[in-house]
Amino acid sequence: MTRPWDAPCYVGEVDPAWVDYNGHMRDAFYLLPMSMATDEMMNRIGLDERGRGLLGHTLYTLEAHLHFLAEASLGARIEVGSRLIEHDAKRLRLCHLMYVGIERRLCAASEQLLINIDVAGGRSTPFADRVVARIDHGIDAVEALGWRQWSGQRIALKK
C-alpha cells in the first residue's frame, strides 16, 4: 500500500533571497524548506487547518538538528522527503532529507522533535486518537532505521 508520506513533502527551487555572497544557499535557509515539509507532515497526520480547528491542537517545534552535506545553488531544484521516526503520547520525532538537482544529491538532513499543544490552554496535551492512528500508520520501523543515521546525534568535539 502506498503511504501518503512516500511523496515528497516539499518541492521547490532555491530562491534568490536564500543565496549568499558565494552563490550558495545560506545556512539559515536550509531549514526553511524542511519547516515547510513539517507543515505538510502535519497535514498528512490530520493536523491540517481543518484538523487543528476541530481538535484545537497544533504542533510546536521543541528542537531541530541540521546537517549540511552539500551546497545548493541559485535556482537549483530542491526536494524534501520526510519520515516519522517515533512518538510518545505528546511528542513526535521526524527526519527530513533534502535533495538538490535532478540527480537528487543529498544536501541536508534534519531531525526534529515536535510537541502537541492544546491551543486554548497553551499547554502540551496528548495526541487525539485519530492523529495517533495516522502517526502509527506512518512509522515503518525497518525503514526508520535507515533514516535514524541522521537522528539522535549531539554536537561535540571528539577528543
Side-chain angles (χ1 to χ4, degrees):
M1 177 165 114
T2 301
R3 297 169 304 168
W5 32 85
D6 287 339
C9 284
Y10 177 84
V11 177
E13 291 183 353
V14 177
D15 187 275
W18 300 357
V19 176
D20 67 11
Y21 44 86
N22 291 317
H24 303 129
M25 198 162 149
R26 288 184 174 277
D27 55 356
F29 288 103
Y30 278 77
L31 192 56
L32 181 61
M34 294 192 194
S35 179
M36 293 182 201
T38 297
D39 292 348
E40 179 58 25
M41 289 299 284
M42 287 177 63
N43 294 341
R44 295 177 189 191
I45 64 169
L47 288 174
D48 54 359
E49 184 177 356
R50 183 175 179 271
R52 290 189 309 271
L54 289 171
L55 297 169
H57 293 179
T58 193
L59 294 179
Y60 286 0
T61 303
L62 292 173
E63 190 171 347
H65 293 216
L66 186 56
H67 300 266
F68 300 97
L69 306 169
E71 297 169 341
S73 300
L74 176 63
R77 180 184 190 278
I78 53 176
E79 175 182 311
V80 179
S82 307
R83 291 296 184 272
L84 306 172
I85 302 296
E86 66 180 348
H87 75 94
D88 63 16
K90 298 179 182 181
R91 297 172 301 170
L92 175 62
R93 195 170 75 148
L94 55 88
C95 185
H96 299 298
L97 298 181
M98 187 164 72
Y99 302 92
V100 64
I102 56 171
E103 69 280 1
R104 296 187 76 243
R105 187 178 77 246
L106 183 61
C107 70
S110 178
E111 171 191 20
Q112 298 184 5
L113 180 63
L114 311 170
I115 191 162
N116 194 52
I117 298 292
D118 176 340
V119 176
R123 298 182 55 91
S124 65
T125 191
F127 290 109
D129 290 343
R130 68 184 194 189
V131 173
V132 170
R134 288 187 178 188
I135 292 170
D136 285 342
H137 180 65
I139 295 176
D140 179 320
V142 173
E143 178 186 66
L145 290 175
W147 289 68
R148 285 187 182 198
Q149 70 176 310
W150 304 110
S151 62
Q153 298 179 19
R154 63 184 180 94
I155 297 174
L157 297 176
K158 297 179 182 179
K159 295 184 179 197

